[in-house]
Structure formats: structure tokens, C-alpha cells
Amino acid sequence: MGKEQLGINTQLVHAGERGAPPNGKPVSTPIYATATFTYDSMAEVDQVFAGEKQGYIYTRYGNPTIAALEEAMRVLEEGAAACAYSSGMAALHAAIFACEISSGATILASQDLYGATTDLLYKILGSYGIKTTTADFSDVEALRAKAFEVRPQVLIAETVSNPLLKVCDIATCAEIAREVGARFIVDNTFTSPYLCKPLKHGADFSVHSATKYLGGHADVMGGVVVARDEVDLPTLIGVMKLVGGILGVWEAHEIHRGLKTLSLRMDRQCDNALRLAKYLETHEDVSRVHYPGLAPAQNQETIKRIVRPPHFGALVSIELRDNTREAAFRFMDALSLCVRSTSLGDVFTGVLHPATASHREVAPKRRLELGITEGLVRISVGIEDIEDIIADIDQALKR
């Protein structure tokens, strides 16, 4: 029966669908907005399901648009395999499970971590009998002693810590992980693969919240794990398929498009951040500036070895002279150009109050122990003209 002989309802469903692929090759990866894939025979379906033939069956298992992003991230991080997820937290969760932890295992985490990461470790994994202990990863000798004491299965750190911007000596921490037989996960969100490639320094997994610098425009959410060894890919895919935190095809397309301008954006953002940090370093209303480029001389060698020179990242954290929540709120409310935003890495300059946002769930006493004061404000520097950024922050500080 020809399609023109079918009833109107049938034609509405099938007309124009499942045509032959175009003769021309698309210059950009198309958005494959389909949940399922079909084949000419059940024998082919069976072969693809069995892994005997390459292909796609169901977008929860894989999709060409998502696969293109994963391959791009694998290449950029110089890894063996990559897997994309619906958020950075879903990606981190998958990386931890790829380390084959189970009840009774111990995770040794940096004390300087994103608040949600800490909550995942203590509240979610802790409920399954997985113990987490923390250490100051900037003190490598104390870290080594702690690692030999607790014998962890996993070490977790951030390339640049949130929100005090301490740069992790990934190579030394990876060495300590190997000494105790642990896997090492690095959250590389703050630097992106343009500024740092943790796998080259010995990490087992590099994790990203693609919502930040990879997407770069505050319009998409996603996460990626890049593994140093291909043997970890089946577990990463298994967590994606069974837990269900898959990345949508539209989001994959947006993130992949964002990668194409990553270096251009970050060059500008890092240059702006350095100029802003130097300006605020002597500002009468700022008591302290946290920025890797202003770190003590003894730390500069490590920073330059880990982060692509001459950059130091695009985040600046400041402590106000009046180190109170009220002062921080007054400052942030007085901003007219910079955006009060709970994210980072966007083309615009955004500000966040860690004590009430990223580290809100951390006990106040613990926040102070970590150096996260009430008057601390994190600035994610954008690509605007630096003179405009400085002018807006300056007027807000004065008010």
C-alpha cells in the first residue's frame, strides 16, 4: 500500500519520517531529537543490543548528538573515554561509582569542596555505609599521612577550590592516591580543559559541571566525566543507563557549541579577572582578595605547573572590610552591571554569596573553620569591558 493511499490519521503520523540520510554531510552535528532508533530487520536490532554491531537503540543508552560532545571532551581532556550526564552532580556521582566503592569504603575528600559535593558524600553515600573523611589537600604531607591512616578507596579534590580558589597540586595528590591504592577524582569545572587537564597530571577521572565554562552562556545544564582508562567506560555508561541522569540532546548540542568559543571566552575572562584582582587588592573596602595569581610566591610554581600560563582562572573571591552578611548583601544589591547569580563561568560577570548559596548547608562554625566568612563574595568575571566591571564593583563597594 502506497503512503498516498493511507488514511489521514496514519499519514499525519508517518508522512516525511524515516527518509534516507542526506547526500551532503552536515558541517555541524545535527540534533537527533529521537528517543528510539529503528533498523531494517530484527536481526540488526538484536546485533546492536548485543553489542555485535555499532549503532543506537534508545537515547538513554546513547545518541549521536550526545556522543559528539563526549568525543570532543575526550579529545580535549586527552582521556580514553567520556560520558555525559544531566548535571555536574550526576557526573560526579557516576565517577564515584566507577571507582567500585561499596559499603565500608572510605573516601578522602578535600576540605575545600563545593557544598553540594560534601552533601553528596555525607548525606547520600554516607547512608549506604560509605565513610568520608576530609583533609587539607594543600598540605601534601598531612594529606599523605591521612591517606595512609584511613586507606581510602577514592580521593576527591577540585583543581581550583570553591570558593577560596586554592590550586590543587594534582600530580602530587595523584602520587599519594597511587601509594595507597586509591582512585583520584578531580572536579575540573573551575578551569575547564583549556586551562588544566587533570588526567595528564595523574588523575583517574576529570569531572565537569558543563553548566559553567563549557556551555558558558547560562542557558544549559549538564555534566561530563572523562576517564583516563577505557576500562572505566562500561561502569560510567551503566550508571547513566540505570540511574537515568542522561543529558538531553538539545543540551548536548548547546554545550558542544559552547566548546567552540571556550578559549576565546576564557582568555578574555582570565585577563579581566587578573586586572580586577590587582585593582581590588589595594581597595580600602576589601580586606582580602583570593585569587591564584596573588598567591604567595612559594605556591606560584605549583600553580603555573597545573594551570595554563599565563592564566590564573576567571574567578576572584573577596572579603569585605566590614566582614558581615549585611555588608555583603548591601554590596551585591548595589551592583547594577554584575549579575547576582548562583552559577559561574558565564559571559557576564556574576556574584555569589557562598555562605548563603554554595555552602549554605555547611554548619556556620565549619564554614568559619574553612575560611568562608559572612563577608566573602565570589566573583565570576565575564567578558565585558574590564573598565565597566571595575566601575560597577567600585561604586557598589563605596555604597
Side-chain angles (χ1 to χ4, degrees):
M1 180 183 294
K3 289 188 177 180
E4 67 280 355
Q5 297 174 302
L6 297 173
I8 182 63
N9 294 303
T10 305
Q11 288 176 334
L12 288 170
V13 173
H14 292 278
E17 291 286 3
R18 294 175 290 283
N23 291 327
K25 181 182 291 186
V27 295
S28 294
T29 302
I31 301 174
Y32 287 87
T34 181
T36 60
F37 299 80
T38 189
Y39 291 85
D40 292 335
S41 70
M42 279 306 301
E44 284 186 277
V45 174
D46 184 44
Q47 289 174 323
V48 175
F49 258 123
E52 298 169 358
K53 182 176 182 178
Q54 189 173 8
Y56 298 94
I57 287 289
Y58 186 43
T59 286
R60 181 161 58 85
Y61 292 13
N63 179 287
T65 307
I66 301 169
L69 169 63
E70 292 169 335
E71 174 60 11
M73 286 300 297
R74 184 196 68 78
V75 170
L76 291 172
E77 284 277 18
E78 299 185 35
C83 197
Y85 301 86
S86 57
S87 69
M89 292 306 299
L92 179 62
H93 174 265
I96 294 171
F97 271 88
C99 296
E100 299 180 347
I101 60 170
S102 58
S103 181
T106 296
I107 295 174
L108 179 55
S110 170
Q111 66 180 20
D112 301 292
L113 285 177
Y114 173 44
T117 300
T118 302
D119 284 348
L120 172 67
L121 297 176
Y122 282 105
K123 296 180 179 179
I124 304 300
L125 299 183
S127 66
Y128 291 96
I130 297 168
K131 181 182 178 182
T132 294
T133 186
T134 61
D136 183 355
F137 274 46
S138 64
D139 185 342
V140 292
E141 291 310 314
L143 174 63
R144 178 175 276 108
K146 191 70 172 180
F148 275 94
E149 174 191 342
V150 303
R151 294 285 176 173
Q153 281 69 45
V154 183
L155 270 68
I156 299 178
E158 295 170 345
T159 307
V160 176
S161 71
N162 185 3
L164 298 180
L165 312 181
K166 301 176 184 177
V167 177
C168 176
D169 186 346
I170 298 172
T172 301
C173 293
E175 179 183 307
I176 292 171
R178 288 192 295 271
E179 289 173 359
V180 296
R183 312 295 299 281
F184 185 27
I185 299 172
V186 175
D187 184 332
N188 199 33
T189 298
F190 276 24
T191 45
S192 86
Y194 179 60
L195 296 187
C196 180
K197 302 174 190 271
L199 306 182
K200 291 186 66 177
H201 296 287
D204 294 290
F205 300 95
S206 180
V207 178
H208 295 267
S209 170
T211 312
K212 315 306 193 288
Y213 289 105
L214 304 186
H217 293 78
D219 56 5
V220 65
M221 186 168 288
V224 181
V225 179
V226 184
R228 187 176 61 175
D229 299 315
E230 193 170 6
V231 69
D232 292 309
L233 184 59
T235 305
L236 292 174
I237 293 175
V239 173
M240 177 193 70
K241 289 166 61 175
L242 298 177
V243 178
I246 66 165
L247 183 65
V249 294
W250 302 94
E251 288 79 9
H253 175 267
E254 292 289 289
I255 295 167
H256 197 177
R257 184 170 66 178
L259 289 179
K260 301 179 191 309
T261 59
L262 176 63
S263 63
L264 302 176
R265 289 184 280 109
M266 291 215 77
D267 280 342
R268 178 63 173 261
Q269 288 168 308
C270 290
D271 289 344
N272 280 352
L274 178 59
R275 290 181 62 182
L276 177 64
K278 287 182 175 180
Y279 174 79
L280 293 175
E281 188 179 23
T282 57
H283 200 288
E284 61 181 2
D285 296 312
V286 176
S287 63
R288 184 176 180 183
V289 176
H290 298 270
Y291 183 68
L294 302 180
Q298 62 267 28
N299 295 341
Q300 288 300 315
E301 182 181 347
T302 297
I303 292 171
K304 291 176 181 178
R305 180 162 42 85
I306 298 299
V307 181
R308 173 194 290 266
H311 296 315
F312 298 99
L315 289 151
V316 179
S317 291
I318 60 173
E319 291 182 44
L320 302 180
R321 185 74 62 187
D322 181 1
N323 202 351
T324 63
R325 180 176 299 194
E326 292 74 21
F329 281 16
R330 287 197 303 271
F331 161 67
M332 295 173 71
D333 285 344
L335 293 166
S336 60
L337 173 71
C338 303
V339 181
R340 290 174 290 280
S341 170
T342 54
S343 189
L344 61 104
D346 302 309
V347 289
F348 57 79
T349 298
V351 294
L352 173 140
H353 185 242
T356 56
S358 62
H359 290 71
R360 187 183 189 94
E361 301 304 319
V362 179
K365 182 179 179 181
R366 180 58 176 162
R367 283 202 302 265
L368 289 176
E369 291 173 350
L370 295 174
I372 302 172
T373 63
E374 292 293 312
L376 181 74
V377 177
R378 191 190 72 196
I379 306 170
S380 172
V381 184
I383 66 171
E384 305 98 331
D385 290 320
I386 184 58
E387 295 80 8
D388 294 330
I389 298 172
I390 288 175
D392 189 39
I393 290 176
D394 187 51
Q395 65 83 23
L397 287 170
K398 290 177 180 176
R399 288 176 60 184

